[in-house]
Structures are given as structure tokens and as C-alpha cells.
Amino acid sequence: PPAADVAAWCASDCHLPRLALLGPVAARTRGSAITVARRKPYFTEMLAYLGLHPKGVTPAKLADTFGIALGRARTDIMTVRDWLGVNPRTAQMHVPHARESQAAKAKGVGVYQVEGLLIDLDLFRRLRVRGQARGAAGTVDLRNAMTPVSGQPFNQLRHSARPALQTG
């Protein structure tokens, strides 16, 4: 439910990774950040790209979008996988191997997909829709929709961000 996700978003001890797009682009994760530290904006951008494609993306599409070789895309996804860690809801990695993701099983083709990621944009959309559908009773949902908003959407991208995340 949206209310539970908003509470999780705001909790300091949330066990799910969180991606902020409604303001400065940022991620809060519970996995290993050691390999991400030097290139965190890049890996945050890759996470955002995956998060904005909930049906998954093929390794080739990811490589093409980021302008990198396929082998490099696989290596970078391993870094993102480690950074996000294990999904406490499934006991599996938040970014399964391409052939093991739910989308891959449904499509019959390997795709990278992030599972169990809280995205402020998604929370905003769900609360707005629910609030509008409930009329006057939806005022609380509409107010809660603004909770994760912290500024201009997609702000403070890395200077060399690929067009996939650029908004202007």
C-alpha cells in the first residue's frame, strides 16, 4: 500500500533501497558501497535507468544506452547488484542475474530488472492517483504525495549523464 511505502521511504532503518528522482538524484542502499564509492553518480544513474524501466532492459540495451561494451555493462550491473544487496522480501538479490529476473521469466529473454526498489516518483504517482480518485477524502494522500519531493526533478545529474536520464 502507498502509505506503508511512504512510511518506509521516511524511515531511517528502511531495509529496501530507495531512489530519489524528485529532487537531487540519489540512492540509499543497504548493500556493499565499497566498489561504488569512487563512481557513485554513475552507478546511481544506472540504478535510475533500471528503476525507470520496471519491465527490465536487455544487457545489450543497457550497454547501448550507456555507451559501453556489453562486458562492461555486465560488470557494472554486478556492482549495482552488490550495492543494493539482498531483498528482505524475497531473500534474493535486488538485481537478479538477467536470466533470473521476473521479467526475464515472463519474456523468455534475459533482462536486467531491479526488484523491491522504492522510487519517490512511483510513490508520488500512486498517491496522486489514489488521492484524486478519492475526491475530498483523498486530501491526505495528495499531501503525502509531496513527502518524497525534495526539489527540481532529476536535479544534480552527473555532467556526462547519458540522454536516458536527462530531462531538458
Tab-separated table of all heavy atoms in Angstrom, residues 1 7-8 11-12 14 26 36 53 56 73 79 81 90 94 96-97 113 121 123-124 134 143 156-157 160:
chain	number	residue	atom	x	y	z
A	1	PRO	N	0.834	-1.209	0.000
A	1	PRO	CA	0.000	0.000	0.000
A	1	PRO	C	0.865	1.255	0.000
A	1	PRO	O	1.934	1.258	0.610
A	1	PRO	CB	-0.796	-0.107	1.288
A	1	PRO	CG	-0.484	-1.413	1.901
A	1	PRO	CD	0.639	-2.037	1.147
A	7	ALA	N	5.876	5.442	4.563
A	7	ALA	CA	6.492	5.261	5.880
A	7	ALA	C	7.877	4.643	5.735
A	7	ALA	O	8.830	5.070	6.396
A	7	ALA	CB	5.598	4.390	6.760
A	8	ALA	N	8.002	3.649	4.845
A	8	ALA	CA	9.307	3.027	4.610
A	8	ALA	C	10.279	4.037	4.016
A	8	ALA	O	11.451	4.076	4.385
A	8	ALA	CB	9.148	1.816	3.683
A	11	ALA	N	11.562	6.208	6.788
A	11	ALA	CA	12.204	5.533	7.919
A	11	ALA	C	13.723	5.523	7.771
A	11	ALA	O	14.255	5.275	6.687
A	11	ALA	CB	11.690	4.099	8.017
A	12	SER	N	14.409	5.785	8.866
A	12	SER	CA	15.874	5.755	8.829
A	12	SER	C	16.401	4.331	8.750
A	12	SER	O	17.532	4.108	8.330
A	12	SER	CB	16.447	6.455	10.062
A	12	SER	OG	16.015	5.793	11.239
A	14	CYS	N	14.965	1.749	6.936
A	14	CYS	CA	14.309	1.052	5.839
A	14	CYS	C	15.245	-0.021	5.268
A	14	CYS	O	16.419	0.247	5.014
A	14	CYS	CB	13.908	2.040	4.744
A	14	CYS	SG	13.087	1.258	3.351
A	26	ALA	N	19.553	10.632	-6.151
A	26	ALA	CA	20.354	9.995	-5.110
A	26	ALA	C	19.780	8.629	-4.790
A	26	ALA	O	18.604	8.359	-5.061
A	26	ALA	CB	20.372	10.860	-3.844
A	36	VAL	N	31.293	1.142	-5.213
A	36	VAL	CA	30.521	2.245	-5.780
A	36	VAL	C	31.123	3.598	-5.419
A	36	VAL	O	30.977	4.569	-6.153
A	36	VAL	CB	29.054	2.165	-5.288
A	36	VAL	CG1	28.264	3.383	-5.685
A	36	VAL	CG2	28.393	0.915	-5.809
A	53	HIS	N	12.673	1.578	-15.821
A	53	HIS	CA	12.280	0.535	-16.773
A	53	HIS	C	11.849	-0.709	-15.984
A	53	HIS	O	12.560	-1.717	-15.949
A	53	HIS	CB	13.436	0.208	-17.728
A	53	HIS	CG	13.753	1.314	-18.665
A	53	HIS	ND1	14.563	2.374	-18.317
A	53	HIS	CD2	13.333	1.554	-19.920
A	53	HIS	CE1	14.638	3.212	-19.335
A	53	HIS	NE2	13.891	2.745	-20.316
A	56	GLY	N	12.205	-4.203	-17.235
A	56	GLY	CA	13.558	-4.661	-17.483
A	56	GLY	C	14.135	-4.177	-18.797
A	56	GLY	O	13.415	-3.700	-19.673
A	73	ALA	N	28.964	-3.557	-19.283
A	73	ALA	CA	27.606	-3.460	-18.735
A	73	ALA	C	27.382	-4.559	-17.705
A	73	ALA	O	26.821	-4.310	-16.634
A	73	ALA	CB	26.571	-3.542	-19.852
A	79	THR	N	28.205	-4.603	-9.941
A	79	THR	CA	28.469	-3.591	-8.914
A	79	THR	C	27.164	-3.063	-8.342
A	79	THR	O	27.015	-2.946	-7.117
A	79	THR	CB	29.317	-2.445	-9.508
A	79	THR	OG1	30.549	-2.984	-9.984
A	79	THR	CG2	29.578	-1.367	-8.474
A	81	ARG	N	24.310	-4.593	-8.331
A	81	ARG	CA	23.719	-5.724	-7.599
A	81	ARG	C	24.284	-5.784	-6.181
A	81	ARG	O	23.544	-5.909	-5.206
A	81	ARG	CB	23.997	-7.021	-8.358
A	81	ARG	CG	23.406	-8.255	-7.727
A	81	ARG	CD	23.728	-9.517	-8.539
A	81	ARG	NE	23.114	-9.424	-9.845
A	81	ARG	CZ	23.779	-9.558	-11.004
A	81	ARG	NH1	25.082	-9.799	-11.003
A	81	ARG	NH2	23.143	-9.455	-12.148
A	90	THR	N	12.300	-11.244	-0.492
A	90	THR	CA	12.452	-12.467	-1.291
A	90	THR	C	13.694	-13.274	-0.942
A	90	THR	O	13.833	-14.397	-1.411
A	90	THR	CB	12.525	-12.108	-2.785
A	90	THR	OG1	13.721	-11.342	-3.015
A	90	THR	CG2	11.296	-11.349	-3.248
A	94	HIS	N	18.440	-7.790	-5.118
A	94	HIS	CA	17.521	-6.803	-5.698
A	94	HIS	C	17.659	-6.733	-7.213
A	94	HIS	O	16.704	-6.402	-7.903
A	94	HIS	CB	17.763	-5.412	-5.107
A	94	HIS	CG	17.177	-5.224	-3.758
A	94	HIS	ND1	15.839	-5.034	-3.544
A	94	HIS	CD2	17.761	-5.183	-2.536
A	94	HIS	CE1	15.606	-4.881	-2.255
A	94	HIS	NE2	16.765	-4.975	-1.625
A	96	PRO	N	18.552	-9.311	-9.860
A	96	PRO	CA	18.898	-10.696	-10.192
A	96	PRO	C	19.729	-10.762	-11.478
A	96	PRO	O	19.782	-9.805	-12.248
A	96	PRO	CB	17.540	-11.366	-10.423
A	96	PRO	CG	16.512	-10.416	-9.944
A	96	PRO	CD	17.133	-9.055	-9.953
A	97	HIS	N	20.347	-11.910	-11.703
A	97	HIS	CA	21.019	-12.131	-12.975
A	97	HIS	C	19.977	-12.011	-14.077
A	97	HIS	O	18.793	-12.307	-13.879
A	97	HIS	CB	21.702	-13.498	-12.991
A	97	HIS	CG	22.836	-13.571	-12.028
A	97	HIS	ND1	24.085	-13.046	-12.302
A	97	HIS	CD2	22.913	-14.071	-10.771
A	97	HIS	CE1	24.878	-13.232	-11.266
A	97	HIS	NE2	24.187	-13.850	-10.319
A	113	GLN	N	16.621	-6.216	-14.272
A	113	GLN	CA	15.460	-5.609	-13.631
A	113	GLN	C	15.795	-5.449	-12.158
A	113	GLN	O	16.392	-6.325	-11.548
A	113	GLN	CB	14.257	-6.546	-13.811
A	113	GLN	CG	12.984	-6.081	-13.184
A	113	GLN	CD	11.876	-7.125	-13.356
A	113	GLN	OE1	12.129	-8.324	-13.305
A	113	GLN	NE2	10.658	-6.666	-13.548
A	121	LEU	N	9.348	8.879	-7.296
A	121	LEU	CA	8.457	9.193	-8.411
A	121	LEU	C	7.266	8.231	-8.456
A	121	LEU	O	6.131	8.639	-8.673
A	121	LEU	CB	9.231	9.148	-9.725
A	121	LEU	CG	8.457	9.455	-11.003
A	121	LEU	CD1	7.874	10.863	-10.949
A	121	LEU	CD2	9.371	9.297	-12.219
A	123	LEU	N	6.079	6.511	-5.849
A	123	LEU	CA	5.242	6.830	-4.679
A	123	LEU	C	4.362	8.043	-4.965
A	123	LEU	O	3.163	8.041	-4.674
A	123	LEU	CB	6.111	7.108	-3.452
A	123	LEU	CG	6.896	5.948	-2.880
A	123	LEU	CD1	7.829	6.440	-1.779
A	123	LEU	CD2	5.970	4.882	-2.361
A	124	PHE	N	4.966	9.065	-5.547
A	124	PHE	CA	4.227	10.279	-5.878
A	124	PHE	C	3.053	9.954	-6.806
A	124	PHE	O	1.914	10.360	-6.560
A	124	PHE	CB	5.161	11.300	-6.538
A	124	PHE	CG	4.471	12.548	-6.991
A	124	PHE	CD1	4.268	13.598	-6.110
A	124	PHE	CD2	4.004	12.674	-8.291
A	124	PHE	CE1	3.618	14.754	-6.523
A	124	PHE	CE2	3.362	13.826	-8.714
A	124	PHE	CZ	3.163	14.865	-7.828
A	134	ARG	N	-10.208	9.514	-4.791
A	134	ARG	CA	-10.998	9.545	-3.558
A	134	ARG	C	-11.672	10.891	-3.312
A	134	ARG	O	-12.375	11.053	-2.315
A	134	ARG	CB	-10.097	9.176	-2.384
A	134	ARG	CG	-9.578	7.740	-2.500
A	134	ARG	CD	-8.543	7.421	-1.473
A	134	ARG	NE	-9.184	7.180	-0.190
A	134	ARG	CZ	-8.516	7.090	0.947
A	134	ARG	NH1	-7.213	7.241	0.962
A	134	ARG	NH2	-9.156	6.864	2.070
A	143	ARG	N	-1.405	15.173	0.055
A	143	ARG	CA	-0.362	15.762	0.889
A	143	ARG	C	0.827	14.818	1.019
A	143	ARG	O	1.982	15.222	0.917
A	143	ARG	CB	-0.903	16.102	2.281
A	143	ARG	CG	-1.117	17.577	2.444
A	143	ARG	CD	-1.410	17.970	3.874
A	143	ARG	NE	-2.789	18.453	3.893
A	143	ARG	CZ	-3.782	17.924	4.581
A	143	ARG	NH1	-3.571	16.911	5.381
A	143	ARG	NH2	-4.984	18.416	4.511
A	156	GLN	N	20.812	17.663	-10.328
A	156	GLN	CA	22.192	17.309	-9.983
A	156	GLN	C	22.645	15.988	-10.595
A	156	GLN	O	23.323	15.190	-9.959
A	156	GLN	CB	22.374	17.304	-8.460
A	156	GLN	CG	22.163	18.673	-7.854
A	156	GLN	CD	22.357	18.693	-6.355
A	156	GLN	OE1	22.839	17.744	-5.753
A	156	GLN	NE2	21.979	19.807	-5.743
A	157	LEU	N	22.260	15.766	-11.867
A	157	LEU	CA	22.801	14.616	-12.599
A	157	LEU	C	24.279	14.839	-12.843
A	157	LEU	O	24.749	15.977	-12.861
A	157	LEU	CB	22.093	14.464	-13.947
A	157	LEU	CG	20.654	13.975	-13.931
A	157	LEU	CD1	20.063	14.039	-15.330
A	157	LEU	CD2	20.571	12.563	-13.388
A	160	SER	N	28.161	14.266	-17.381
A	160	SER	CA	28.211	13.455	-18.595
A	160	SER	C	27.079	12.432	-18.642
A	160	SER	O	27.187	11.416	-19.306
A	160	SER	CB	29.566	12.748	-18.689
A	160	SER	OG	29.763	11.931	-17.552
